Amino acid sequence: MVLQNRLEYGFNGYQVPATPRASRSTRRRSSFKKKPEDNQMCAFDLLATVAGKLLLEKESSPMSSNMSSDKDQYAAVKHAVKKECQGEDKLVKAEACDQGSCDRRYFVSEPVSQAPINHSYRESPGPENDHCRFTSAVATSNCTERFDTQKLIVKDKLHGNEKALFGIGTDSCSLRDPVVRAGKLSGLVSLDSSVQEREEHVPRSSFPGSWDDVNFVSKDDDESSSGCTHPSITKKLFRPTPRLGDRRIRKVLASKYWKVAPKLKDVTFSNTNVDFKPAYWNRKNSYKRLRSDRNYPFKKRKFFDCISVSNSDEGISSECVSDAPEKGIIGDDFGSHPKTHEVKLRIKSFRVPELFIELPETATVGSLKRTVMEAVTAILGGELRVGVFLQGKKVRDDNKTLLQTGISQDNQSDSLGFCLEPNPSQASKPLCPEESPFLLPCGVPQPLSRYPPAPGMIQQDTRNVMPEPRVANTGNSIDSDHDSAPSPTDMSVDKSTTDSRALVAVPSVNVETLAVVPVHRKSKRSEVVQRRIRRPFSVAEVEALVQAVEKLGTGRWRDVKLRAFDNAKHRTYVDLKDKWKTLVHTARISPQQRRGEPVPQELLDRVLTAHAYWSQQQAKQQLKQQQQSENCLLL
DNA sequence: GTTAGGG
DNA sequence: CCCTAAC
């Protein structure tokens, strides 16, 4: 039989299945699991702790409860920070605003020799800026060794010193920041109760860079554009903790952190649909609960579902924005002008929404690349629309001409910007409460829950564009060593480093968007975030698959994988099995019904033959077993 | 962890 | 490609 088949199909012959998988466990298998991360106390935790203690003190001590003056508050904060820093003297600075005594920011820091630490935080306020809305704590990287500074360090190009800024604010923007929600910051936050009423305005300064990357005129280079055109802006790294304690563990889809309109009312996130836990939600409890719950992978779709975005804008199709946009963007219906001029837009790059990725320190660079790629492709592959900003304001009326909006007159400035946004049609689907294991228990008070979280607003100032990912497929080489997925080599990540901490600490690389959130608990869900991108099988892959199945038969997909696709990390044995399924189906249908890259008929024939053969074998095997069992029963 | 099959 | 049951 074997020989016959060899003659018939021109391959090495079928392999009678051996006793299946005797030493399966000893075989090498590709693993994408990430190891859990050590518990590390980060600045956030310190600040949260301080805040919590402050709150406690405030509640328990009558003295503290009368802590009405700024001085008292300041002293309390300072004291708490010092305590937390184990006696080390940290620089605690309070800045009160002019508007009212209610708003105050606290900086927790340690003097950095090269440069002043705090002022950058307030740099370049801009005309519309309203710093006084902040009640925040900021810590520089050196504040304490317990800070997870390595992961959050950001190069401050402007000053040449490294610093990590942890901002925990309660301004209208950061109130939506999960940091505020997830952390026990109520102490600090509660210092300013009035701020809770503010949620309608986001100071433009919170997004000083969001429209910077797309300009009318090309810039000399990225460096100059990011560093010099707005020298007053300092990169800040707001710890992008998702609202859920556990959810910050996972790789966060950037869709949650779109840089979007500066006006919050334009992007309202329906709180009731989102599984946010209150700021003080007990982490342990939540973890337990989440662990015990049956947690389905938090898929991209569901992710979007969680965020109810009510955006009145009609979607601007991305086709409208291209390198040769004259065709569609000419303002030609503005009658008062005798002659209309062509407006030429050069969009150097779109700002890819901020990405937050987590990897254990032990993760390889390759896995980082894959993770980044997954995140990027998830974004780019998702439903996107383009948002247009002019002078920091979102241009909402799609029917206005460029002339009317002033875009055409303003083409020498940086005031025009584009951004990518999630498509409301995708994002507005309400989430059924049953679908979310994260929904708050009904009885749990949610002091902050009325602030619509605005994930897109979290991004404060990422001036540097994330390097455009190479979406170009490198082909479906079965032997591709590093995953045939497009490799984000533009990340310029130091390949010699396998420590993921270094990846975010590399100052020369604009990877602050890759902030690695310190992880305390990882759930399984954290691994699977989005649907994998579709990667059609190439003919070569099909060939390899067919060959392997001819040899090994159906039903030994793991072996098929190891045999023919061992180096194609993106092809799981389930993929191969599925592909075989579709191949069989494809072979059975008429060629007219087939879609995609045509598979040579010869291969399809082999598929059918092999499938028939192995089906027969399976049947025979079953028959044998049946007979054997019957014999056993008879005896 | 693999396999099989429905979605 | 995802999900899940069954092993």
Side-chain angles (χ1 to χ4, degrees):
Chain A
M1 185 64 183
V2 168
L3 185 63
Q4 197 181 353
N5 282 326
R6 183 182 298 165
L7 295 172
E8 223 174 304
Y9 311 128
F11 61 92
N12 291 332
Y14 293 126
Q15 187 181 84
V16 177
T19 312
R21 294 174 291 280
S23 59
R24 182 187 289 170
S25 58
T26 62
R27 294 183 193 166
R28 188 190 138 232
R29 51 190 73 174
S30 50
S31 171
F32 301 98
K33 287 272 177 184
K34 287 132 189 165
K35 292 174 186 171
E37 195 157 339
D38 301 333
N39 282 356
Q40 285 167 307
M41 187 172 185
C42 61
F44 170 77
D45 292 319
L46 170 80
L47 294 171
T49 309
V50 169
K53 290 188 176 179
L54 279 174
L55 183 62
L56 279 177
E57 278 181 32
K58 195 175 176 182
E59 285 171 348
S60 59
S61 158
M63 289 288 287
S64 304
S65 64
N66 292 330
M67 195 172 60
S68 56
S69 73
D70 302 347
K71 202 175 170 185
D72 289 339
Q73 288 181 3
Y74 171 65
V77 171
K78 188 173 180 180
H79 176 71
V81 167
K82 186 174 178 180
K83 218 170 165 183
E84 278 307 308
C85 291
Q86 296 176 328
E88 282 184 53
D89 245 336
K90 303 301 171 190
L91 208 154
V92 178
K93 185 179 175 186
E95 291 188 10
C97 75
D98 315 85
Q99 284 187 343
S101 60
C102 49
D103 291 330
R104 189 161 297 96
R105 308 190 302 154
Y106 292 96
F107 297 91
V108 184
S109 62
E110 190 169 67
V112 176
S113 55
Q114 293 100 320
I117 40 173
N118 299 327
H119 79 273
S120 63
Y121 193 68
R122 303 197 54 171
E123 280 176 339
S124 182
E128 300 170 43
N129 193 16
D130 186 2
H131 280 298
C132 299
R133 295 176 178 273
F134 279 87
T135 299
S136 62
V138 178
T140 60
S141 63
N142 289 334
C143 178
T144 168
E145 61 279 1
R146 293 161 71 187
F147 281 17
D148 195 4
T149 57
Q150 289 157 304
K151 295 194 174 179
L152 288 159
I153 203 159
V154 176
K155 174 78 171 182
D156 182 356
K157 286 182 179 176
L158 306 171
H159 296 101
N161 64 311
E162 287 184 342
K163 67 178 73 169
L165 298 176
F166 304 85
I168 301 169
T170 60
D171 67 320
S172 54
C173 167
S174 51
L175 261 181
R176 291 153 181 81
D177 189 326
V179 168
V180 178
R181 303 176 154 274
K184 301 161 187 171
L185 260 189
S186 36
L188 280 181
V189 172
S190 64
L191 292 175
D192 171 25
S193 54
S194 67
V195 98
Q196 296 179 358
E197 258 69 56
R198 303 170 186 153
E199 55 178 272
E200 75 289 348
H201 176 72
V202 176
R204 174 189 163 172
S205 62
S206 296
F207 317 95
S210 56
W211 50 81
D212 178 64
D213 303 309
V214 186
N215 295 310
F216 278 104
V217 290
S218 66
K219 291 175 179 175
D220 294 333
D221 59 69
D222 289 331
E223 193 61 33
S224 64
S225 65
S226 62
C228 298
T229 46
H230 300 272
S232 56
I233 294 168
T234 302
K235 295 161 202 60
K236 291 184 287 287
L237 184 59
F238 272 62
R239 191 159 178 270
T241 316
R243 285 152 288 235
L244 277 171
D246 283 83
R247 221 191 271 172
R248 57 182 191 158
I249 290 157
R250 64 180 164 71
K251 176 176 58 189
V252 183
L253 255 195
S255 55
K256 207 173 176 186
Y257 298 97
W258 301 98
K259 298 171 221 256
V260 275
K263 293 200 173 184
L264 270 185
K265 57 185 166 191
D266 294 335
V267 183
T268 317
F269 296 84
S270 168
N271 201 43
T272 52
N273 288 337
V274 190
D275 42 31
F276 300 143
K277 72 181 179 192
Y280 50 81
W281 201 27
N282 185 299
R283 285 182 177 179
K284 278 183 187 171
N285 288 343
S286 66
Y287 185 49
K288 267 187 192 167
R289 178 170 167 265
L290 293 172
R291 289 271 295 197
S292 59
D293 278 349
R294 186 167 189 186
N295 292 322
Y296 294 90
F298 199 58
K299 296 295 178 177
K300 186 177 114 189
R301 285 186 302 262
K302 296 175 184 176
F303 197 45
F304 272 106
D305 290 347
C306 286
I307 305 167
S308 179
V309 179
S310 67
N311 199 322
S312 59
D313 276 358
E314 292 297 321
I316 306 170
S317 74
S318 57
E319 291 88 43
C320 293
V321 188
S322 68
D323 281 337
E326 299 92 337
K327 205 170 160 188
I329 304 196
I330 301 170
D332 55 0
D333 55 349
F334 200 54
S336 61
H337 278 254
K339 187 188 174 187
T340 59
H341 300 83
E342 288 201 346
V343 178
K344 292 191 178 180
L345 300 174
R346 172 172 173 178
I347 299 166
K348 210 173 174 186
S349 67
F350 270 103
R351 178 182 295 279
V352 176
E354 191 167 20
L355 292 171
F356 295 105
I357 291 167
E358 290 184 343
L359 289 175
E361 295 179 352
T362 51
T364 63
V365 174
S367 68
L368 170 78
K369 289 179 179 177
R370 275 195 298 276
T371 310
V372 172
M373 196 61 222
E374 281 173 14
V376 170
T377 50
I379 299 165
L380 298 180
E383 291 282 328
L384 289 179
R385 32 172 280 171
V386 172
V388 177
F389 295 95
L390 186 65
Q391 309 275 10
K393 288 183 178 175
K394 191 169 187 179
V395 181
R396 317 192 64 76
D397 191 348
D398 291 355
N399 297 319
K400 275 190 181 176
T401 66
L402 299 185
L403 197 54
Q404 284 174 314
T405 55
I407 288 177
S408 58
Q409 296 111 34
D410 205 10
N411 59 4
Q412 288 304 312
S413 74
D414 288 352
S415 60
L416 182 70
F418 300 90
C419 73
L420 300 176
E421 305 171 347
N423 197 325
S425 66
Q426 287 278 309
S428 58
K429 208 168 98 188
L431 175 70
C432 295
E434 295 80 22
E435 287 181 11
S436 172
F438 298 103
L439 280 178
L440 288 165
C442 293
V444 176
Q446 306 175 45
L448 290 176
S449 64
R450 59 191 166 116
Y451 307 127
M457 296 302 153
I458 290 168
Q459 166 105 24
Q460 291 291 305
D461 179 16
T462 305
R463 299 199 46 75
N464 297 303
V465 201
M466 181 151 168
E468 278 192 317
R470 286 185 192 157
V471 189
N473 206 323
T474 57
N476 281 306
S477 165
I478 302 162
D479 296 327
S480 67
D481 193 16
H482 48 276
D483 212 347
S484 70
S487 178
T489 49
D490 283 345
M491 291 304 299
S492 311
V493 166
D494 183 4
K495 290 189 172 57
S496 65
T497 315
T498 53
D499 189 334
S500 67
R501 291 179 303 180
L503 298 179
V504 290
V506 171
S508 60
V509 178
N510 303 325
V511 287
E512 61 265 55
T513 54
L514 284 181
V516 174
V517 179
V519 174
H520 295 264
R521 300 164 300 276
K522 264 189 187 278
S523 64
K524 209 175 182 182
R525 176 179 57 261
S526 67
E527 309 297 338
V528 191
V529 175
Q530 88 238 17
R531 191 186 179 102
R532 292 186 298 155
I533 58 172
R534 188 174 172 271
R535 285 159 154 162
F537 276 70
S538 66
V539 174
E541 282 179 304
V542 171
E543 163 87 45
L545 176 61
V546 170
Q547 198 171 318
V549 173
E550 280 172 341
K551 182 111 180 167
L552 302 172
T554 56
R556 298 174 63 191
W557 299 112
R558 186 174 172 276
D559 292 329
V560 170
K561 153 80 176 167
L562 291 177
R563 178 188 180 90
F565 291 83
D566 198 21
N567 290 321
K569 302 297 181 207
H570 59 292
R571 302 293 191 201
T572 67
Y573 47 73
V574 176
D575 293 334
L576 303 179
K577 180 222 39 164
D578 287 343
K579 180 56 184 176
W580 184 260
K581 185 171 66 178
T582 59
L583 271 178
V584 171
H585 178 255
T586 304
R588 285 172 175 165
I589 62 178
S590 68
Q592 293 82 18
Q593 293 175 287
R594 296 168 189 164
R595 292 183 296 176
E597 187 181 9
V599 179
Q601 189 59 40
E602 176 259 341
L603 274 177
L604 291 177
D605 292 341
R606 287 168 67 187
V607 166
L608 281 183
T609 313
H611 192 258
Y613 171 78
W614 285 110
S615 297
Q616 198 184 3
Q617 290 296 311
Q618 229 169 13
K620 279 184 184 175
Q621 199 75 22
Q622 279 180 348
L623 243 171
K624 266 186 186 176
Q625 283 179 349
Q626 227 174 24
Q627 284 174 353
Q628 276 181 0
S629 60
E630 280 174 12
N631 286 340
C632 283
L633 282 174
L634 286 174
L635 292 173

